[in-house]
């Protein structure tokens, strides 16, 4: 590979960090929403349900575009095997660390909270395995998907890199948001058809945790990951997303309205999930423009405070989930107001997560385990490289 020194994309760093940190209000609002979760408040809140739905409808699609962008950027910087090793270590080591230190204690706590620990012995071996997959991978699923996408990138990115530059009549030079919308509409329909086919042939497969995380999620987010890589390779595509589009903003608002209608009136056995996949595929694309354009205008600068949260975002995301469930199980029942509970939850989870982040910075082994990066003795506690 050729060594490519690209200018730091401060706004993309910031967006990636804030999208990850947005997982905190997302999961806390889930407690107070009308959606059934591990823990719920006594009565749902309409505005927190709406807030939760909005975040869920686009956050991870935009995140995977940014992941694809930076992955391809680093692909051009490192030799092939080193690139794969570095990328997999950066996500695989924190994921493997979080399972015994975070999601396993979280699983045991939920067994106690729900009173289901006594029923464990009555489950079949497959039921035990599947329960453990769902609960131990839990909010770490995107790290597993990133490992799979990175592995697929060994072939796909190599293909991108071997393409010779073509004249302006090239397909990518003539790509517009309208054409991209049509492509993503087709991708959404194909994904929906795939899911419906599996549902018709063997429905239990869709309840298998590993199949959902490793296959279904990977298939859904692969187009966004590749779109990010193409945005790095083709400046015109990147410019298309960083330039504000009123059409994208309006289309995203309409898509969100359709998403809410589908959530309220759809039926799980009658195309609810298939319709949702088409809507979120398109909304995700349009929100890439909305988020990138706003970020490029408001966040494209270097700041020590922003850099701190960029470096802290993965650790905070990893630890916030068990903290949120602890809050929902033991503190939420004592707060009558949903809004007050939501605000209290944010303070509780973010405050403890920041304390834990600062503590882990002072232990070299923990810094390595939660970042996947070799630790240099000379490096300051809060200035880890953020590739």
């Amino acid at each position: 590979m050729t060594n490519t020194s690209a200018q730091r994309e401060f706004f993309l760093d910031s967006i990636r960090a804030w999208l990850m940190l947005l997982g905190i209000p997302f999961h806390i609002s889930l407690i107070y929403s009308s959606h059934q979760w591990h823990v719920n408040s006594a009565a749902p809140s309409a505005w927190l349900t709406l807030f939760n739905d909005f975040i869920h409808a686009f956050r991870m699609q935009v995140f995977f575009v940014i992941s694809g962008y930076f992955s391809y950027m680093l692909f051009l910087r490192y030799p092939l095997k080193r690139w794969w090793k570095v990328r997999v270590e950066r996500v695989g080591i924190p994921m493997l660390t979080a399972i015994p230190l975070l999601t396993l204690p979280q699983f045991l706590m939920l067994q106690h909270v729900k009173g289901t620990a006594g029923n464990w012995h009555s489950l079949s071996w497959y039921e035990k395995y599947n329960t453990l997959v769902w609960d131990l991978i839990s909010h770490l699923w995107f790290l597993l998907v990133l490992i799979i996408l990175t592995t697929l990138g060994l072939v796909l990115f190599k293909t991108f890199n071997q393409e010779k530059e073509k004249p302006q009549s090239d397909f990518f030079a003539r790509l517009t948001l309208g054409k991209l919308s049509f492509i993503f509409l087709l991708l959404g329909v194909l994904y929906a058809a795939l899911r419906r086919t599996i549902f018709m042939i063997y429905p239990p497969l869709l309840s298998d945790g590993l199949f959902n995380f490793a296959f279904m999620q990977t298939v859904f987010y692969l187009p966004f990951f590749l779109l990010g890589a193409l945005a790095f390779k083709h400046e015109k595509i990147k410019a298309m997303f960083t330039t504000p589009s009123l059409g994208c903003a309006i289309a995203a608002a309409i898509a969100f309205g359709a998403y809410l209608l589908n959530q309220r009136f759809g039926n799980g056995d009658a195309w609810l999930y298939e319709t949702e996949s088409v809507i979120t595929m398109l909304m995700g694309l349009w929100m890439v423009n909305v988020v990138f354009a706003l970020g490029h205008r408001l966040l494209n600068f270097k700041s020590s405070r922003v850099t701190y949260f960029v470096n802290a975002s993965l650790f905070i995301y990893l630890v916030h989930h068990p903290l949120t469930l602890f809050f929902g199980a033991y503190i939420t029942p004592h707060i009558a107001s949903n809004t007050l509970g939501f605000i209290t939850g944010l303070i509780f989870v973010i405050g403890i997560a920041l304390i834990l982040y600062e503590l882990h910075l002072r232990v070299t082994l923990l810094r390595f385990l939660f970042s996947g990066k070799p630790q240099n003795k000379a490096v300051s506690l809060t200035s880890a490289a953020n590739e």
Side-chain angles (χ1 to χ4, degrees), residues 166-182:
K166 298 178 182 179
Q168 285 297 323
S169 60
D170 174 65
F171 172 79
F172 294 109
R174 294 181 284 110
L175 203 58
T176 64
L177 284 170
K179 291 178 181 178
L180 262 179
S181 298
F182 180 72

Side-chain angles (χ1 to χ4, degrees), residues 44-188:
S45 163
W47 83 267
L48 286 171
T49 300
L50 182 67
F51 176 75
N52 183 268
D53 284 338
F54 178 68
I55 296 174
H56 185 259
F58 78 91
R59 181 173 70 100
M60 294 311 297
Q61 297 93 306
V62 180
F63 174 84
F64 276 102
V65 171
I66 297 175
S67 295
Y69 184 95
F70 283 125
S71 291
Y72 188 69
M73 178 185 75
L74 294 174
F75 178 84
L76 298 178
R77 182 180 301 175
Y78 295 123
L80 188 63
K81 291 182 179 179
R82 175 166 165 74
W83 170 80
W84 183 85
K85 181 176 181 291
V86 168
R87 297 306 296 166
V88 169
E89 286 178 348
R90 295 288 171 85
V91 294
I93 293 175
M95 184 184 77
L96 293 176
T97 299
I99 289 175
L101 296 185
L102 297 175
T103 58
L104 178 57
Q106 170 186 289
F107 168 72
L108 296 175
M109 179 189 72
L110 289 175
Q111 289 278 299
H112 174 72
V113 169
K114 296 178 179 179
T116 56
N119 300 329
W120 181 256
H121 70 280
S122 64
L123 299 179
S124 67
W125 284 107
Y126 173 75
E127 289 171 333
K128 290 177 180 178
Y129 150 79
N130 199 36
T131 299
L132 286 174
V133 169
W134 281 109
D135 285 300
L136 295 188
I137 295 181
S138 184
H139 67 300
L140 310 176
W141 67 268
F142 77 99
L143 296 176
L144 175 61
V145 172
L146 279 175
I147 291 172
I148 297 171
L149 291 176
T150 298
T151 303
L152 293 174
L154 288 170
V155 176
L156 297 173
F157 288 177
K158 190 175 181 180
T159 302
F160 288 174
N161 210 38
Q162 288 175 343
E163 289 179 356
K164 295 180 179 180
E165 291 298 327
K166 298 178 182 179
Q168 285 297 323
S169 60
D170 174 65
F171 172 79
F172 294 109
R174 294 181 284 110
L175 203 58
T176 64
L177 284 170
K179 291 178 181 178
L180 262 179
S181 298
F182 180 72
I183 292 171
F184 272 69
L185 172 62
L186 292 179
L187 291 172

